[in-house]
């Protein structure tokens, strides 16, 4: 059984001042995505948004509409792992793999780097069904630069 996934609300930016409307998350454009310390394949209909998680860290959300599919932390020290499963090291990353019936699902990945951000932690946020399958494919596509 997977461990609870941190709520995106807990990781979101500080609330807007009183009287000001809350800003909707704004999708990063191609130039913003190209400047990130990681690459990710975004299928049609998905967007990547960013929120600060501290002075030296950011959280990125891969979304389809209001549904968060994948979360990506880039900073000095992540909370890897958040899921319980088999630890597999391959392709320059550590991954947590769950077995469900005859399927193996890579639910989270950790890249460690010599330069900032020292850790890039990727995890599937969508709980089940086709959304989780899509989220797993997106998570698998992430690679540190």
């Amino acid at each position: 059984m997977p461990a609870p996934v941190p709520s995106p609300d807990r990781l979101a930016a500080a609330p807007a001042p009183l009287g000001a409307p809350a800003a909707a998350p704004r999708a990063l454009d191609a130039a913003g995505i190209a400047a990130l310390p990681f690459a990710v394949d975004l299928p049609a209909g998905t967007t990547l948004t960013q929120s600060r998680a501290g002075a030296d860290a950011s959280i990125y959300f891969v979304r389809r509409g209001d549904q968060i599919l994948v979360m990506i932390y880039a900073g000095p020290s992540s909370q890897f792992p958040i899921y319980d499963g088999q630890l597999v090291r391959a392709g320059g990353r550590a991954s947590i793999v769950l077995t469900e019936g005859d399927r193996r699902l890579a639910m989270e990945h950790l890249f460690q780097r010599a330069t900032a951000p020292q850790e890039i932690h990727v995890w599937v946020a969508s709980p089940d069904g086709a959304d989780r399958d899509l989220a797993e494919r997106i998570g698998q596509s992430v690679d540190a630069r």
Side-chain angles (χ1 to χ4, degrees), residues 108-132:
E108 71 183 298
H109 310 281
L110 179 69
F111 298 90
Q112 294 183 310
R113 300 166 17 114
T115 59
Q118 282 82 25
E119 295 192 351
I120 298 172
H121 180 190
V122 180
W123 67 95
V124 171
S126 289
D128 55 24
D131 285 342
R132 185 175 65 177

Side-chain angles (χ1 to χ4, degrees), residues 33-92:
I33 293 170
L36 295 174
F38 58 87
V40 59
D41 292 335
L42 295 175
T46 61
T47 59
L48 184 66
T49 59
Q50 177 180 3
S51 177
R52 300 297 298 164
D56 297 327
S58 291
I59 297 283
Y60 301 88
F61 305 92
V62 177
R63 302 172 183 264
R64 184 176 59 206
D66 290 337
Q67 176 72 36
I68 296 174
L69 301 171
V70 173
M71 296 174 70
I72 304 166
Y73 165 90
S77 180
S78 71
Q79 296 179 1
F80 181 85
I82 57 173
Y83 283 100
D84 292 326
Q86 179 186 8
L87 176 65
V88 176
R89 294 185 188 279

